[in-house]
Structure formats: C-alpha cells, structure tokens
Amino acid sequence: MARNPQRRALLADAGLRVLAAAGARGLTHRAVDAEAGVPTGTASNYFPTREALLGALGERVFERYAPDEAVLARLAARDPSIDLTTDYVRYIVERTTREPYVTRALIELRLEAARHPELGRGLAEVLRRGYADDVAFHAAAGLPGGAFEIALLHYAVDGLLLDLLTTSIDAGFDVDEVVSALVSRLVGGAAPRPGVARD
C-alpha cells in the first residue's frame, strides 16, 4: 500500500470534494484521481476498495475539523461559564461551515453508512470517539453540563449544520443568536462539573 501521507491527504481531500458535489454514487477512484489531478489508478493504490476510500474520508473529515490550538488556548484562559460554552460552540459552527464541502461530505458519509453496515461500524467508531473527546474536554474545562448536555448540543448543532449547508427552512434567524439560544436552553440550567480543579 502507498504510504506518502501528503499524497494520501491530497486524495482524501479530493474525495471529500467529489462526495460533497456528486454524492456517494459519484464517488469513484477515477473521480478522485481526476479531482486531485493525479494519474488514473493513484487513489486505488492508497485506498484499494470503496470501503477503504469511504473510511479514509471519514477519518479525514475529523482531521480537517481539528481546532486551532491557539484559539483553544485563548478560550481555555477564561473562567468556565455559559458564555464560554457558547463561544466554544460558536467556534465549532465556524470550523464546520468554513469549508462547507467538508461537512456536506460528512452528511453524505453518514447517509451512506446507514446503507452499508461495514462502513457504518467504522464511521460510528469515529463519531463516538469524537463525542467522547468532547465530553472529556467539557469536563476537564469545568464547563456546565455533562455527557447528556453534550449529546443534546451534538444533536442540535448537527441539525443546524444540516439546515445551513443543505436546503434550508430559511427561518431568517441569525446563526449566532441560534447558537446562543441552543447553549442557553440545553446547558444553561446545568451546574459546572464537580471535582474540577480551578487555578
């Protein structure tokens, strides 16, 4: 199997663009090669099967979603509060809408995973790991709420992203106001996590 990580990332990014634009039916190794501008057969050297390609795209989405450590450090320097939680969620929405095709590709992957159990198992593992990481981060930061509230935020933000990046209900509300209301209503009544040391 080919092992050039830069080429692998280039191909995975091309695959995300193809998936977002053409859907799962349009995602072929040949289409990825064309989108990446590489010789035919390159993608299949890195991702020998369609399942391997789809799995790699799932992993790549979360690499692309990785937060900027400097932004996290600025946020972490603040005292835990509902306002801080709101700013974390705003940052998530900003990251996941900055390049809309990445989130559209994830939506397509989730739909495809519902049709193909093998892909579903792999993608579910990635999604669960992301959720567990979010819960752990939230607890370590001493933010209000716990695992249930983080799940509620995931459900709500996923719906918001679906509306922002696909055919919208076009309700006309400001995204920042929506995020603020979601956090306030879903987490606002929860107490800070006990046992978290403060500096």
Side-chain angles (χ1 to χ4, degrees):
M1 179 184 285
R3 298 193 185 279
N4 180 329
Q6 291 81 18
R7 177 62 62 93
R8 183 181 174 86
L10 172 83
L11 290 165
D13 287 341
L16 292 175
R17 290 191 298 273
V18 170
L19 187 59
R25 288 188 177 196
L27 181 71
T28 64
H29 288 88
R30 186 179 296 271
V32 172
D33 289 335
E35 178 67 27
V38 298
T40 300
T42 304
S44 61
N45 287 335
Y46 283 82
F47 317 110
T49 65
R50 179 176 173 77
E51 291 72 25
L53 175 59
L54 288 165
L57 297 187
E59 291 284 347
R60 184 62 178 156
V61 166
F62 291 96
E63 290 172 8
R64 295 292 302 274
Y65 280 168
D68 181 323
E69 292 300 324
V71 174
L72 288 185
R74 282 196 302 276
L75 290 169
R78 295 167 47 188
D79 288 333
S81 67
I82 196 70
D83 289 337
L84 178 58
T85 304
T86 301
D87 287 342
Y88 275 118
V89 175
R90 280 191 180 114
Y91 182 49
I92 291 167
V93 172
E94 187 273 321
R95 286 193 342 257
T96 54
T97 57
R98 184 183 309 138
E99 295 177 289
Y101 76 89
V102 177
T103 301
R104 287 189 187 112
L106 177 58
I107 293 167
E108 289 284 348
L109 278 170
R110 291 180 78 167
L111 290 170
E112 190 68 3
R115 299 178 195 109
H116 299 281
E118 183 64 32
L119 173 62
R121 284 188 289 275
L123 187 59
E125 182 180 322
V126 173
L127 293 171
R128 287 186 195 112
R129 187 170 63 238
Y131 166 68
D133 289 348
D134 288 348
V135 171
F137 176 85
H138 198 83
L143 296 168
F148 182 67
E149 287 79 15
I150 299 307
L152 292 177
L153 286 174
H154 269 261
Y155 299 144
V157 170
D158 285 351
L160 175 61
L161 293 173
L162 184 67
D163 191 76
L164 289 173
L165 300 176
T166 65
T167 304
S168 175
I169 64 171
D170 200 18
F173 297 110
D174 178 75
V175 173
D176 278 343
E177 290 178 24
V178 170
V179 168
S180 182
L182 287 174
V183 174
S184 175
R185 293 176 188 189
L186 298 177
V187 180
R193 301 285 296 175
V196 176
R198 293 291 303 140
D199 293 332

